[in-house]
Structure formats: structure tokens, C-alpha cells
Amino acid sequence: MITFCEERKTFKLDTPSSSYVFGIEDDRYLVHYYYGRRIGNEDLSYLARTEGTRPSERLREKNSFLDFAPMEYPVSGTGDYRPAAFEAQREDGTCSAELYYVNHTIEKGKLKLEGLPATFGSEAECETLTVCLEDPILKLKVFLVYSVFEGLDAVVRSLRVENGSKDSNVYITNIMSTCLDIDNDDYKLLSLHGSWARERNIETRSIAHGTQGVGSIRGESSHQEHPFIALCSNNTTQTTGDVYGFSFVYSGNFTASAHLDQFNKVRVLMGINPYHFRWKLEPGEQFTAPEAVMVYSHEGLGHMTRTFHDLYREHLIRSPYRAKERPILINNWEATYFNFDTEKLLSIAKEASKRGIEMLVMDDGWFGVRNDDNSSLGDWYVNEKKLPGGLKPLVDGVNALGLKFGIWMEPEMVSPDSDLYRAHPDWTISVPGRTPTRSRNQLVLDLTRPEVWEHTWNSVKTVLKSANIEYLKWDMNRQLTDLYSAGLPADRQGELLHRYVLAVYRMQETLVTEFPNLLLENCSGGGARFDPGMLYYSPQIWTSDDTDAIERLKIQEGTALVYPLSCMGAHVSDCPNHTVGRVTPFKTRGHVALAGTFGYELDITKISEGDRDLIPTQVADYHKYGDLVRNGDYYRLASFSENGKFDAWMVQKKDGSEILVTFVKGLNEANTKVRFIKLQGLEPGVSYKDETTGRVYGSEVLMYAGLPMDSLNGDFDSKLVHLLRVD
Ligand code: GLA
């Protein structure tokens, strides 16, 4: 619920257990009052924390006021020396800004963001506040937009800037999507870091004076740092502590930081990274900043996680597959790499169909003359040496075996050794005169240019229409360098990175509109573009190129901190694992992949008979538990990355009728006794029956004493426990 108190000039955004409050000071400044556990509707103006800066002294000591007051949307150049949320420059070089309150509206429903992914909701589910601010000198109008959702402890923010001048241009050089100024309470900063095949490891640090945070200047959200941070009170656990989570619905360069100032206040900022960003607004033009999501929990990380999961499942992922069972796929990448032909793929499909697998995905290497990763990106026509007669005979053959067919493409890229590059060497993002930096021997197409965008889209469309293709894995295997677009004038070069992201979004929007039943899985060298922006288009994203079950424990724990299990691409692969060389039981690989979309990535014709025979059981498990895993409430029970010994999580059906606990052990140890795992979030006073042993437990004993994890042997063994409520 959103309210405005006319008398005290305060805005209050209430969610089931949080309140977000700010007000208008001196009839002009938006000052932040409070964000935290839900509070009442009494006079809250004393929370403004503007003490020592009396209105009568504000002319004399304006700087003291601006450099101390918790600001709702701070600007720079007029006395607030902390990092700013907004900076702009006029043609004459002026760049100081002031934003004064003009008016506001409160309405039912949720606004769409032009060209950008964003959360959505009906008039019954959401309420939106828009506050208009103005800089009378820069002639800029800034519309801060806030929405809250029925039943969820989340506040989402974005903004629109309009150049109200009749005759002069303005350049936006910094535009954060959200800002939060709060008193420090010994908060720790939690972030997710990684690398290729090691994405989203959880890391926590103390907040020191000055600025600390994460960001990407790589042109995508990246493997390395992730558009998510959280402030956590000291000793936060899964179930206790104050947590403020910030997630950015964007897939390009970002920054997310916490600044501790001289008065021990923390300013959190999240938005597009100002690196190489300069957006020109001609008179009358507008710019919309992407959406940032804030979630507050007074019950530790677990409640934050489940709020993000519910919000993203219900109000961000649009695909018709959102809550539905996905076909169990088998992907040939780790099975064959580039070395395959129709016959080989059909042999995989044949064995797969016998064991209940439902879709074959043909990965990289089917087009141009691509026999390794040095050529042919951009030449999206079939290599008939591998697939005689083209896609159709293969797809028909796969369909005849009762399997669906999916395909891999990397539409944003071009290989210098390709017909496309030979015809259009000027279509890449590159600086005239400088040899562009190659990565995986490939270059990035400048999708901001209409002719390049059209050609690329037509290539995707032509492939998808050429056969019965029901799934697309859309990859992006390098990051951006050599920032220059031949399609932009000099004073708009700073727009390239954001325009690139907008062009990708536009293509994915066109794709899901023209092919509404296609199952789209985004990917970027594993999980380098696993972010809420891409989730708006694809219900699932490839989590990591590391498919080792034990490495995946860390990667999936970090990913599931923010994202629902339903969107984590996870496959059972062969051993020794191709990335780390580890050998783990086939059963464990299945249990770990079951926490995601579930599928296979191995040569089913070559694995051992014993492993192959386990596939039908795993397939049955997926059909049995898939709905629970996709749509249930997720609880993190133990962390292998913290304790180095074992991992455990559970998923509880929304109505509490069913629970699936997964336990995975690391290296085996001699002479250890049974370990008890404490469950979380159960309704008190009810009982659950272990489906396998028949044993009945009260919900309290499961939460406070725990579930025994016995009968495990050997390294990396694992176990599922299915509990059913007994009424
Ligand atoms: C990326 C993907 C892999 C695979 C290869 C193909 O690395 O993450 O799954 O598709 O590209 O080149």
C-alpha cells in the first residue's frame, strides 16, 4: 500500500512486513526517512535525520544539510559530496544539479518501461507512486517511479528523465536506478563474485569508510561480478538478521556500491555503470533507467531469497513455460563438441528416447564450416557435410523418435573467418584504424545499427522457421571491447553500451513475440549474463559451463540466493568431469541437477551401462518432484562452501503438504556418526511422514532437532528425502 500524508508531506510504501518512508523537506528536497521492519502511520517526520540543519540555517549552511541529510535521489555539484545518483551536463559545460519536488501521483498497477525488461503486475496486485522532480537550471524533469506488490516485501524503483528545454541539449553522465541512505548498523556487504565456470560465489565483507562495491564494464552483467548486493546486519543467518537485498533488472554494465560516510551513514547505489556512459537528450527527449529491486527481510537471508523467488517467478518471467514442466533435454556439447553429424545425433536421440529423455539439443558446430571455435559465427546456414539435406531430415528423424528438437545459436557474434565478415567487415563494434581485440577468435556485431540488427534477426528467424525447432539456446561468448559504433555521431558514442543492451532486448522481445511457444534458454559462456533482465525473456538461463556436481553446489547456492530454481539450467554430465576432472556418483549428479531445469549433457551411447540404467529413475524423479522444485519455497539448510563437508537444501510446497530435502556429502570421513539436518519454515503442530522409511516426525522436531542423514557412503554421496504431511 502506498500513502501520502498531505499534512506532513510524507510518502509511505508498506509491504506485508516492511515500510519505506520518505518526505518533502523545505517544500523541495526529497529526504529519506526510513526503510526497515513495518511501522505504524503516526507522525514519522522526526525520522528525517536532518538534525543540526535547521531550516532557518539552510541558506547559510546549505552544504552541511546536503552533505548530511539522507537523500532520496542525491545529485552532485551543490554540496552533497557523497557518491551521487544523478549527474548531467549542459552544452555550456554546467554540471551541478538540484532536484526539487514538483508533484506526484499514486495509481493502481505497474508501469511498463520503454524497451526495457521490468517486473509487471495487474491493478489488483501492484501500486505505483511517481514523484516528479525538476532542475530549473538544467531544465530537466526527473520522474522517480516506485511500485509495491501485494503480499511481497519488495519495492521496485526506476526513473525517467525528460529534457524540458526548448533549445538546449543535456548529457546524462550518471543515472542510478536506486539509492538508499540509512544509518550504519554494523552492516556487512554481501556480493557474488566469480569467473568463467565459477560463477556467483557468495562473499561477505565489512563496510569501511569510503566506497566499496561491485560492477561490470564488460558490456554484460558478467561472470566476474553480479548485479546483486545485500546489506546484512552482523551475524545474519538464513533465519535471523536484517537484510536489504538489491537486484538490478539489467544485462549490461552495472555498478552496485555502499559508501560509508563521515557520519556513519551508508549510501547504497545501484544503476548503469557510468564508465563510457554519456547519453544525449535533445529538447523533449526522454531517457528511462532500468529497474532496481529492493527486498527487506528481518528474518535473515532466507526470507529475502524467497521474496526474490516469488517476485521473479510471478512478476518478471513471462514465458508460458514459467511454472510448467520443461522437456528433459539431452545436449550434445560435452558429448561430441564440434565432431558430430546427423547419424551421431540420431544415435544419441535413439538411446535417449528409450530412457524417457524428451528433447535433443544440437549445440555449437552445425553451421558454416565450424569444426572448431575459430570460424563461421554469422554464417547461420547448415553445414551439409555434417547434416546432409539440412536441418529438416535431422529434426524429422529426432521427432520420429518421439523427441523434440532444440538448437544453439550465438546471434550477436561474427568470426573474422566467415562469409558475413568478408562481406561486411565494418559491421563490428571496433575503433577505426585499430585492430579489434578478439576473444575466442570472434568479434561483436554492432546491433545498434539498423541494417546489422535486421540481418541478424532475419538469420535467427530463418533458422527457426526452417524446421520444427522448439527450443533455442542463445549464447554470447565474449565481452565487449573497442567501443565505437560507426552508426553513432561523436557526441553519442557514450550511448553505445546501453544501446547495445537495448538492441539485444529488442531482438529477444521480437523473438518471444514471433515464436511464443519457443522455449528460450539464454547463456553466455556459461552464466555471464544470468541476470533478471534476461529472465524477462527466457524462463531459464544456463548457470555455468562447470557441470561438476560438487562445484555446482557453490554455484547453485549463490545463484539460488536470488533466482528461483526453475530458471537454473542444470545438467547431468559425464565423468571424469570435463572441467575439473572429478568423479562423482551418477546419482549425485542427478540430485544436483534436479535443483534446476534438469537435463543431460553427455554421450548416452558411450557412458557405462550402470549409469545409463539410472537415467529412467532420474527421469521419474524429475517428473515426480519437478513441480515442487519449480514452484515451491526454497530453504538453504547447510552450505558446502561454508562448512566444506556437506550441502543441504529443501523445497516446500506452497501449501506445506510436501517437502523434498536434498543432502550432498563432500569427501567421506572415517568413523563419523549420523548428521542431523534441521529443516526450516514448517507449520508448527503438523506431522510429516518420510515416504521411504515410513517414519513420522512432528514439524517441531524436524526444525529443532533435525532429520537424520544416515546410510551414506563413499565420497560425494547424496540423498533425497521426500516428506509428506500427515493430516
Ligand atoms: C558456451 C556455452 C556452452 C557451449 C559452448 C559452445 O561456452 O556456455 O554450453 O554451448 O559455448 O561453443
Side-chain angles (χ1 to χ4, degrees), residues 196 199 223 331 333-334 337-338 362-365 367 370 372-373 377 408-410 440 442 473-477 522-528 542-547 571 601:
W196 171 75
E199 296 89 339
H223 302 99
N331 177 305
W333 178 240
E334 291 196 16
Y337 295 102
F338 296 97
M362 176 173 66
D363 211 280
D364 194 355
F367 50 90
R370 189 151 165 104
D372 57 32
D373 58 10
L377 293 171
W408 177 97
M409 289 185 82
E410 198 180 352
R440 212 191 191 202
Q442 63 195 58
K473 178 174 171 188
W474 176 307
D475 212 337
M476 194 253 193
N477 273 316
N522 271 300
C523 173
S524 178
W542 185 229
T543 312
S544 176
D545 276 347
D546 192 341
T547 52
H571 297 167
E601 181 138 354

Side-chain angles (χ1 to χ4, degrees), residues 23-36:
I24 307 164
E25 289 286 314
D26 301 352
D27 288 329
R28 50 174 56 180
Y29 298 111
L30 276 197
V31 170
H32 184 80
Y33 288 11
Y34 173 81
Y35 186 30

Side-chain angles (χ1 to χ4, degrees), residues 5-160:
C5 172
E6 192 66 56
E7 191 193 336
R8 302 188 183 107
K9 304 272 183 265
T10 50
F11 297 94
K12 187 155 181 274
L13 288 72
D14 287 316
T15 73
S17 48
S18 76
S19 296
Y20 184 98
V21 190
F22 59 98
I24 307 164
E25 289 286 314
D26 301 352
D27 288 329
R28 50 174 56 180
Y29 298 111
L30 276 197
V31 170
H32 184 80
Y33 288 11
Y34 173 81
Y35 186 30
R37 203 162 170 170
R38 185 153 175 171
I39 51 178
N41 291 332
E42 60 267 40
D43 180 358
L44 298 171
S45 52
Y46 79 99
L47 292 172
R49 302 298 321 271
T50 53
E51 71 267 17
T53 62
R54 283 198 300 279
S56 56
E57 288 174 358
R58 293 220 181 121
L59 187 57
R60 199 188 104 90
E61 291 298 344
K62 181 170 161 181
N63 169 340
S64 310
F65 168 68
L66 289 181
D67 204 24
F68 165 72
M71 304 303 282
E72 189 56 25
Y73 197 66
V75 291
S76 75
T78 41
D80 184 343
Y81 293 100
R82 295 165 289 180
F86 184 79
E87 286 160 297
Q89 195 170 30
R90 280 199 317 201
E91 288 281 9
D92 67 4
T94 310
C95 57
S96 68
E98 290 217 277
L99 291 175
Y100 298 152
Y101 170 83
V102 179
N103 56 32
H104 72 269
T105 56
I106 296 173
E107 52 200 320
K108 297 257 173 251
K110 175 86 187 24
L111 301 183
K112 279 195 156 197
L113 303 192
E114 175 97 42
L116 284 165
T119 55
F120 54 82
S122 67
E123 293 200 351
E125 294 165 328
C126 306
E127 249 187 311
T128 297
L129 161 70
T130 306
V131 185
C132 174
L133 308 172
E134 188 170 27
D135 184 310
I137 305 303
L138 290 174
K139 297 266 187 307
L140 278 181
K141 279 205 167 119
V142 172
F143 298 88
L144 302 180
V145 185
Y146 303 76
S147 298
V148 291
F149 300 79
E150 188 65 33
L152 289 172
D153 286 320
V155 176
V156 304
R157 285 181 69 168
S158 64
L159 67 137
R160 189 160 44 86

Side-chain angles (χ1 to χ4, degrees), residues 278-300:
R278 189 168 187 263
W279 194 278
K280 180 178 180 182
L281 279 188
E282 292 183 8
E285 281 188 340
Q286 299 197 352
F287 180 85
T288 302
E291 191 165 84
V293 179
M294 301 186 288
V295 168
Y296 168 74
S297 159
H298 69 271
E299 293 166 311

Side-chain angles (χ1 to χ4, degrees), residues 674-686:
V674 171
R675 198 180 294 281
F676 285 76
I677 295 291
K678 293 176 185 164
L679 307 197
Q680 295 167 20
L682 309 191
E683 185 189 328
V686 298

